[in-house]
Amino acid sequence: DVKVTQSSRYLVKRTGEKVFLECVQDMDHENMFWYRQDPGLGLRLIYFSYDVKMKEKGDIPEGYSVSREKKERFSLILESASTNQTSMYLCASSQGTSGRDEQFFGPGTRLTVL
Amino acid sequence: AQTVTQSQPEMSVQEAETVTLSCTYDTSESDYYLFWYKQPPSRQMILVIRQEAYKQQNATENRFSVNFQKAAKSFSLKISDSQLGDAAMYFCGRGSTLGRLYFGRGTQLTVWP
């Protein structure tokens, strides 16, 4: 079974802090994704990566950056957390880049910025 | 525009009955994949069913089936014999280049006993 794990289920941070959200997948998938999920807005793509050290902006990249130094690990970085970044963050991975592959999701990290 | 629209923010169904969740999408591609995902309360999102646009036949997975109307760009999910465990948020998605998915805003399904 594919496993996508996220470093924390719940996280509370202060405004202005630098925040790291970590995601690890164990199936040698090429693609990894970071989404945020807000009520009424569904899933919005922040960034994705189709190869090590490669990244692409999604629909809402402002205020975020990412890092993918190893194939299995994809980090989301909030350089200076703000209250409007309070949200559920979901990581996902998939095998290929054709748009045919299922994405496998992690359990999510609920981030609260005070 | 790369949009996926789910027009029903909430739906409800009686146990053992049938319910249909709607989804429409935008694309200029001729071949693509469509997905329905389920997110149960406080649990991970999982794939329910997948459809290749090239195939005429509607996909089916046990009690879950789709009604795919390519010309209308419509991809609805039918759940037959609804069970309490079907209660979840359902997301429709369309596959695109570089492996990304475009998702709708979701439909919250409630199942009444």
Side-chain angles (χ1 to χ4, degrees):
Chain A
D1 276 355
V2 176
K3 269 218 171 120
V4 179
T5 57
Q6 295 183 228
S7 50
S8 307
R9 289 301 301 271
Y10 300 94
L11 209 52
V12 179
K13 295 292 182 180
R14 297 274 179 199
T15 302
E17 279 192 77
K18 191 168 186 176
V19 182
F20 293 86
L21 302 182
E22 305 284 340
C23 175
V24 177
Q25 50 94 3
D26 66 358
M27 283 300 289
D28 201 36
H29 280 174
E30 301 293 328
N31 288 357
M32 297 188 75
F33 307 84
W34 275 108
Y35 297 90
R36 66 176 279 176
Q37 182 178 8
D38 300 288
L41 297 179
L43 290 166
R44 292 182 292 167
L45 183 65
I46 304 171
Y47 269 98
F48 65 106
S49 167
Y50 54 89
D51 200 354
V52 175
K53 296 190 188 293
M54 304 302 290
K55 60 184 180 184
E56 288 282 334
K57 291 181 180 179
D59 301 318
I60 52 164
E62 297 78 18
Y64 303 93
S65 62
V66 289
S67 171
R68 193 169 181 200
E69 296 296 320
K70 293 185 178 181
K71 192 174 185 179
E72 68 270 18
R73 188 180 296 271
F74 192 36
S75 303
L76 181 69
I77 303 156
L78 287 66
E79 295 288 344
S80 177
S82 64
T83 55
N84 63 12
Q85 293 178 309
T86 291
S87 186
M88 170 70 86
Y89 290 87
L90 296 178
C91 176
S93 71
S94 69
Q95 176 56 48
T97 59
S98 66
R100 63 184 289 174
D101 297 300
E102 174 186 358
Q103 288 189 11
F104 293 86
F105 285 82
T109 295
R110 186 165 293 283
L111 173 67
T112 302
V113 183
L114 302 175
Chain B
Q2 307 273 16
T3 56
V4 176
T5 302
Q6 294 178 248
S7 58
Q8 308 149 316
E10 297 175 346
M11 291 282 285
S12 63
V13 63
Q14 204 82 29
E15 205 175 359
E17 298 295 310
T18 296
V19 65
T20 299
L21 309 184
S22 303
C23 175
T24 59
Y25 59 92
D26 232 336
T27 183
S28 56
E29 299 170 43
S30 58
D31 195 19
Y32 46 90
Y33 282 74
L34 297 162
F35 303 81
W36 277 100
Y37 281 85
K38 170 185 177 181
Q39 186 181 40
S42 302
R43 294 181 62 187
Q44 280 169 250
M45 199 139 88
I46 56 172
L47 179 70
V48 175
I49 199 163
R50 171 173 43 191
Q51 170 84 39
E52 182 179 4
Y54 185 76
K55 292 185 177 176
Q56 303 279 357
Q57 190 171 3
N58 289 325
T60 299
E61 289 286 343
N62 301 313
R63 297 182 296 107
F64 297 87
S65 60
V66 300
N67 182 6
F68 173 49
Q69 304 286 332
K70 190 172 184 179
K73 294 180 181 170
S74 169
F75 181 61
S76 60
L77 175 70
K78 186 170 87 170
I79 306 174
S80 304
D81 186 26
S82 298
Q83 300 176 0
L84 296 177
D86 295 333
M89 180 71 85
Y90 287 82
F91 291 98
C92 175
R94 181 182 71 74
S96 186
T97 54
L98 295 178
R100 70 166 292 176
L101 289 179
Y102 291 91
F103 285 102
R105 295 190 175 194
T107 297
Q108 182 69 53
L109 178 67
T110 300
V111 182
W112 301 102

